[in-house]
Amino acid sequence: MALSGKATISNTMIKTTDKQPTFADVEAEFLSHHPNADRNYLREAFEFADWAHHDQKRRSGEPYITHPTAVAFHLASWKLDVETVAAGFLHDTVEDNEAVELNHLEQKFGFDLAQIVDGVTKIGKVRFRDKVEAKAENYRKMILAMAKDVRVLIVKLADRYHNMTTLEHLRDDKRKRISQETLEIFSPLAHRIGMTFLKTALETISFRYMEPEAYKKLNQQLLNRQKKSQDFMAAVRHRIKALVEQNDMTADVSSRLKSIFSIHRKMQRKNATLDGLYDYYAFRIITESVEDCYAIFGLLHSRWQHMPGRIKDFIASPKSNLYQSLHTTLISDRGIPFEVQIRTRMMHRIAEEGVAAHWTYKNGRLLQVGKSDFENWIRRVAEDQGAVEDKDEYLDTIKGQLSARDILVFTPDSEIKTLPKGATPLDFAYMIHTEVGHRAHGAKVDGKMVPLRSELQSGSIVEILTRNESRPSEEWLHFVKTPSARAKIRAWLRVEARTKAEALGRDMFERELKRHKIPLKTITNAKIIEKLPEFGEKKLDDFYAAIGFGRLTASKAVRPFGGVDAAQEEKRALTRENRLKRAIQRVSRKSKQMVQVRGQNDILVNLANCCKPIVGDAIVGYITRGHGISVHRQDCKSFLNQKVPVERIVSVAWENAADTQLFNVQMRLFTEDRTGMVADLTKAIADTKTNIMSLKARSDKGKGVFDMMVQIHSLDHLKKVTQNISRVKGVLDVQRTN
Ligand code: MN
């Protein structure tokens, strides 16, 4: 490694130019790996980006285009395909120029490129926070989940790498924050997809900004022993090479100091000084075949002592990022330990380049275009690795153990929330705050309105729209996925039912007093409380609730307060109860299975006569004075005209429609007056398996008017009937008249 004062990386995978790379540099670099590639595509991407950023400057004062050009240059030098390099040019255009939309990019540069830019833009919007409950690992999982195409991640890493190399233009606190983020989030991601060179590069720069003093000191120490180190490494290299050749094999032997950051971390972990640290020398032996790897491994162990517990066979069991090598730590004749890695050329490429090493290109495009997503890549590599048995498990490992049963979504503030798969915006709302859940009335996912019941996808930004007058509804219980949301909704409904029952009970009680001509003001709370033991109740609220829920009839409730003749009252109660029973029977025939009033199933429910709601209609209920709940269609004019007080309004939900339950619906049709019309209409209706209860036809000013009653079981059914009728030749209009 280079030990100058600046963090330079001795790695062949990171090319630097003396000056800012230009488009010509990117093109030359790209063509050196893909001689037959589409250069126009690349040039157009550059020109588009140049236009989109034309009036922007970087913090350094340079034109903004220098940044995407540098990113594209890195991507080209990492041998990526033409879309990815072009995405390097374009990665900031959607974010930075309001005139540029994703579909422009898609039209001009194709779906793949647009998807890559979109992914990079989305990841760019994630705000990383160090102290929030979401740990760095969650962010890493999130990014992996968002980067369905691994090229998204690589472009993001190139972007981050270039930004890291230009950090000196930022304020110190910002530099530190970005460096920490790089260390916690991005270098582990580079590692996970096997881009070791990039991981090391990112770590080194981050370390330099995070702990400038420690960096400077350690760098100086390493410099001081540079000569000694180089002599030692040369001697060992020479001996290894001789040993290999004496045994009729060939190998490239290279050596390096471990990266400054890994030395630093090791010193911290072991609480050791540089002198106390034994393994900062690393040797790499690259040979022809797996057999040679093991053979050389044997030779080395017969020549040098080894350190116990340091032998690792990553050839037989590759690391989750596909890394393969044999590792051991040997001890020199003078007692200096050094690490040795032995691998084949292909293993070496994978170790250095990770993902990119596995891609096959044709004319600069990935061969498996359209299938180049992350999972396919991993599956393919997993297949190459005979050692891997369970591919799905392998996939999970690489994707960072993000369980297949979880999704990760963002709040508008870019905080991350983990939810079970299939979770809805409503689950999300309850996770944010109970009140947000209770008041939710809609949601935006990635800026688009969606129903509260829709299914969330990983990586989406979810925003909950609340309204003070919104209330939980029993229907919600049918689609929320998280137990906590369900519990909160149930708790609310219980309280709500109880509150409504109390109000209803009080009304019924007062009404009954009036009926008995007992002046309300003579019945004080104290008087009622005095009598509560007779009803087995302790509190006034419980007493009213008992009436509201129907456990106590109003007539019984007023008995201790009225000077009413007991016998007459008995008789009256009897007839009232009979009447009530009849009413219940009538209603339950019509609606017991159909209308559910939240938690109040024992309260009388009435389908209003004015609008005759049927299953599927949007409905609303209100607590009448003493006659249970009346259910109307939400657009019922007579209901709206009644100006029912808000506190009496109650939500009602249809239970699942029982197909056997039928409603009579009155319809009026206007048609051309032609022969055969009646026959055609009846056939159209019969085709929907619908009974016609009555049908009256008349002629009016040369037009046919039909009034008919049909039996309908749901709103969908009614729609189908209406559709079928409308298709009959000569039908002008179809109306529902009740
Ligand atoms: Mn950028």
Side-chain angles (χ1 to χ4, degrees):
M1 76 176 288
L3 296 173
S4 67
K6 264 192 100 173
T8 49
I9 316 302
S10 76
N11 196 301
T12 49
M13 284 305 290
I14 291 190
K15 294 198 183 177
T16 45
T17 50
D18 295 338
K19 51 183 178 57
Q20 290 278 7
T22 61
F23 172 73
D25 295 326
V26 179
E27 189 181 44
E29 180 66 31
F30 176 71
L31 291 175
S32 75
H33 304 296
H34 308 289
N36 303 318
D38 184 353
R39 359 165 125 211
N40 281 339
Y41 185 85
L42 214 54
R43 171 165 291 280
E44 277 171 27
F46 169 74
E47 282 169 358
F48 190 95
D50 196 24
W51 164 80
H53 295 298
H54 69 277
D55 53 358
Q56 288 172 263
K57 291 238 185 305
R58 295 212 92 203
R59 197 56 64 89
S60 61
E62 291 164 310
Y64 194 86
I65 189 68
T66 56
H67 164 65
T69 306
V71 171
F73 181 78
H74 287 307
L75 292 167
S77 72
W78 303 342
K79 305 175 194 164
L80 283 144
D81 67 331
V82 73
E83 273 100 0
T84 315
V85 178
F89 283 127
L90 295 164
H91 77 274
D92 279 329
T93 55
V94 174
E95 179 66 18
D96 289 350
N97 189 324
E98 279 179 11
V100 179
E101 279 174 24
L102 211 56
N103 57 8
H104 298 154
L105 294 186
E106 186 174 338
Q107 278 160 24
K108 217 166 149 53
F109 301 103
F111 179 79
D112 273 29
L113 179 132
Q115 288 299 297
I116 295 173
V117 172
D118 187 38
V120 175
T121 308
K122 275 190 183 149
I123 292 174
K125 284 185 180 152
V126 182
R127 280 219 315 271
F128 303 97
R129 297 175 180 180
D130 41 4
K131 57 184 184 300
V132 286
E133 66 279 13
K135 291 191 294 268
E137 178 59 19
N138 277 343
Y139 286 112
R140 296 198 292 266
K141 283 180 191 168
M142 183 77 182
I143 290 171
L144 282 171
M146 289 168 82
K148 289 188 193 89
D149 184 331
V150 71
R151 291 176 293 177
V152 170
L153 186 52
I154 297 177
V155 174
K156 183 65 208 173
L157 288 170
D159 174 49
R160 174 53 60 121
Y161 175 66
H162 183 249
N163 284 335
M164 289 302 290
T165 59
T166 53
L167 271 190
E168 70 257 27
H169 303 291
L170 297 185
R171 275 203 329 261
D172 186 54
D173 57 331
K174 230 177 162 186
R175 283 203 292 246
K176 284 207 164 88
R177 187 181 58 72
I178 294 173
S179 297
Q180 175 158 6
E181 190 180 287
T182 300
L183 220 45
E184 288 181 354
I185 318 266
F186 291 101
S187 71
L189 282 173
H191 186 56
R192 189 166 280 159
I193 59 169
M195 299 177 81
T196 313
F197 69 94
L198 190 56
K199 166 193 179 258
T200 308
L202 290 171
E203 281 175 352
T204 307
I205 308 174
S206 302
F207 174 38
R208 186 155 72 97
Y209 286 116
M210 295 276 295
E211 298 177 64
E213 290 310 311
Y215 175 86
K216 222 164 128 188
K217 190 175 159 209
L218 183 55
N219 199 23
Q220 190 56 50
Q221 283 179 303
L222 291 171
L223 264 174
N224 291 346
R225 57 180 74 196
Q226 190 175 24
K227 174 81 176 79
K228 221 174 99 194
S229 300
Q230 278 170 354
D231 289 350
F232 173 76
M233 288 193 287
V236 174
R237 264 198 326 261
H238 180 73
R239 271 179 216 139
I240 294 175
K241 208 148 169 79
L243 194 62
V244 170
E245 278 162 9
Q246 280 159 26
N247 287 277
D248 300 322
M249 289 180 283
T250 54
D252 295 337
V253 183
S254 60
S255 59
R256 63 192 168 98
L257 285 180
K258 293 227 167 138
S259 84
I260 187 164
F261 181 68
S262 67
I263 292 175
H264 169 70
R265 210 163 36 183
K266 204 160 265 182
M267 283 165 62
Q268 280 190 322
R269 206 183 312 135
K270 303 200 166 170
N271 198 14
T273 62
L274 187 58
D275 291 316
L277 206 68
Y278 54 80
D279 55 350
Y280 53 86
Y281 297 113
F283 292 80
R284 188 170 291 150
I285 302 172
I286 296 169
T287 182
E288 302 306 322
S289 66
V290 174
E291 290 74 35
D292 285 1
C293 290
Y294 286 103
I296 292 170
F297 184 80
L299 284 176
L300 297 181
H301 281 83
S302 59
R303 167 67 182 78
W304 283 287
Q305 292 282 326
H306 72 274
M307 200 165 276
R310 301 273 304 171
I311 294 174
K312 282 169 199 141
D313 184 353
F314 294 120
I315 292 180
S317 23
K319 289 191 188 180
S320 66
N321 63 7
L322 311 176
Y323 177 89
Q324 284 185 296
S325 269
L326 297 174
H327 285 198
T328 185
T329 300
L330 302 170
I331 300 163
S332 81
D333 301 339
R334 274 182 288 160
I336 302 168
F338 56 98
E339 191 191 90
V340 181
Q341 303 170 349
I342 311 168
R343 54 175 87 139
T344 65
R345 279 179 210 291
M346 188 57 198
M347 290 174 197
H348 182 58
R349 268 197 71 196
I350 295 168
E352 287 296 304
E353 301 168 36
V355 185
H358 264 275
W359 283 341
T360 349
Y361 301 100
K362 196 176 181 185
N363 297 335
R365 281 194 158 83
L366 280 170
L367 264 188
Q368 71 283 35
V369 169
K371 289 190 198 165
S372 58
D373 62 297
F374 201 33
E375 300 197 359
N376 278 341
W377 168 68
I378 295 163
R379 285 229 163 76
R380 213 180 105 215
V381 176
E383 276 160 17
D384 291 350
Q385 308 271 0
V388 180
E389 277 171 18
D390 184 342
K391 280 166 202 136
D392 288 330
E393 188 188 318
Y394 197 71
L395 188 68
D396 279 351
T397 313
I398 286 226
K399 291 200 104 174
Q401 280 88 31
L402 177 61
S403 153
R405 278 171 286 134
D406 286 340
I407 58 162
L408 294 165
V409 294
F410 295 114
T411 69
D413 294 338
S414 299
E415 266 182 64
I416 294 177
K417 300 282 171 197
T418 309
L419 288 160
K421 202 171 177 172
T424 64
L426 196 56
D427 292 293
F428 176 85
Y430 275 104
M431 185 171 259
I432 300 289
H433 195 280
T434 306
E435 278 305 303
V436 175
H438 288 344
R439 304 282 168 245
H441 85 104
K444 278 186 182 174
V445 168
D446 294 331
K448 284 195 198 92
M449 285 294 300
V450 301
L452 285 174
R453 64 187 317 142
S454 49
E455 191 173 312
L456 292 175
Q457 305 295 328
S458 258
S460 307
I461 300 167
V462 187
E463 186 184 346
I464 299 298
L465 309 175
T466 57
R467 237 177 8 200
N468 269 342
E469 60 273 28
S470 287
R471 303 272 180 279
S473 110
E474 179 131 355
E475 248 183 278
W476 290 4
L477 292 171
H478 296 311
F479 62 78
V480 287
K481 284 283 178 306
T482 48
S484 67
R486 193 180 303 275
K488 286 170 181 172
I489 295 167
R490 276 195 206 288
W492 193 93
L493 292 174
R494 262 199 306 277
V495 173
E496 167 81 354
R498 162 84 193 197
T499 313
K500 291 270 151 80
E502 281 173 27
L504 182 62
R506 178 191 288 268
D507 275 339
M508 290 167 77
F509 179 68
E510 288 175 357
R511 203 184 156 81
E512 196 65 12
L513 289 174
K514 259 185 225 158
R515 207 195 288 276
H516 288 266
K517 310 252 183 310
I518 305 165
L520 273 184
K521 53 179 180 278
T522 64
I523 309 300
T524 59
N525 284 352
K527 256 190 187 164
I528 302 173
I529 289 165
E530 201 175 286
K531 302 286 184 192
L532 287 183
E534 290 184 30
F535 304 106
E537 303 291 351
K538 290 197 181 78
K539 285 191 285 184
L540 191 59
D541 290 348
D542 295 342
F543 170 70
Y544 287 137
I547 302 170
F549 279 128
R551 289 196 301 269
L552 172 66
T553 63
S555 58
K556 255 190 200 157
V558 299
R559 210 173 293 162
F561 309 103
V564 177
D565 169 50
Q568 202 189 344
E569 160 60 20
E570 191 78 5
K571 202 173 138 208
R572 192 185 287 173
L574 218 64
T575 54
R576 181 163 307 115
E577 276 186 12
N578 283 341
R579 238 175 32 218
L580 197 67
K581 230 175 238 162
R582 274 204 308 280
I584 289 170
Q585 273 162 4
R586 198 187 65 234
V587 170
S588 59
R589 247 203 329 277
K590 206 198 281 178
S591 65
K592 194 174 170 200
Q593 299 303 311
M594 314 299 289
V595 179
Q596 208 181 33
V597 180
R598 302 178 305 176
Q600 300 183 27
N601 288 333
D602 49 351
I603 286 182
L604 207 59
V605 169
N606 257 307
L607 294 178
N609 264 324
C610 45
C611 55
K612 294 193 176 60
I614 66 170
V615 171
D617 277 334
I619 48 172
V620 60
Y622 85 92
I623 302 174
T624 61
R625 293 188 181 269
H627 289 93
I629 288 167
S630 167
V631 175
H632 294 259
R633 273 155 63 180
Q634 280 182 7
D635 56 0
C636 171
K637 289 207 177 68
S638 101
F639 173 67
L640 293 172
N641 286 338
Q642 283 179 45
K643 298 208 171 70
V644 173
V646 182
E647 69 272 13
R648 294 183 161 273
I649 294 180
V650 61
S651 341
V652 287
W654 297 105
E655 282 271 44
N656 291 335
D659 277 351
T660 50
Q661 191 75 31
L662 293 169
F663 298 81
N664 290 334
V665 171
Q666 187 74 41
M667 303 180 88
R668 176 168 291 178
L669 323 180
F670 296 91
T671 70
E672 288 168 16
D673 202 356
R674 66 165 172 87
T675 49
M677 181 55 88
V678 180
D680 288 353
L681 284 175
T682 39
K683 183 176 179 305
I685 295 165
D687 282 349
T688 63
K689 298 197 172 65
T690 306
N691 293 328
I692 302 174
M693 303 301 288
S694 69
L695 177 65
K696 272 182 236 155
R698 62 193 156 92
S699 189
D700 185 22
K701 295 172 196 158
K703 279 185 183 156
V705 182
F706 292 81
D707 281 311
M708 60 183 197
M709 177 98 85
V710 288
Q711 286 196 313
I712 297 293
H713 55 73
S714 71
L715 199 60
D716 281 344
H717 179 202
L718 181 62
K719 269 188 198 143
K720 213 164 113 196
V721 173
T722 311
Q723 258 169 20
N724 255 27
I725 294 174
S726 307
R727 284 199 200 106
V728 173
K729 191 170 157 274
V731 171
L732 304 171
D733 195 11
V734 185
Q735 294 169 358
R736 174 176 170 188
T737 47
N738 64 357

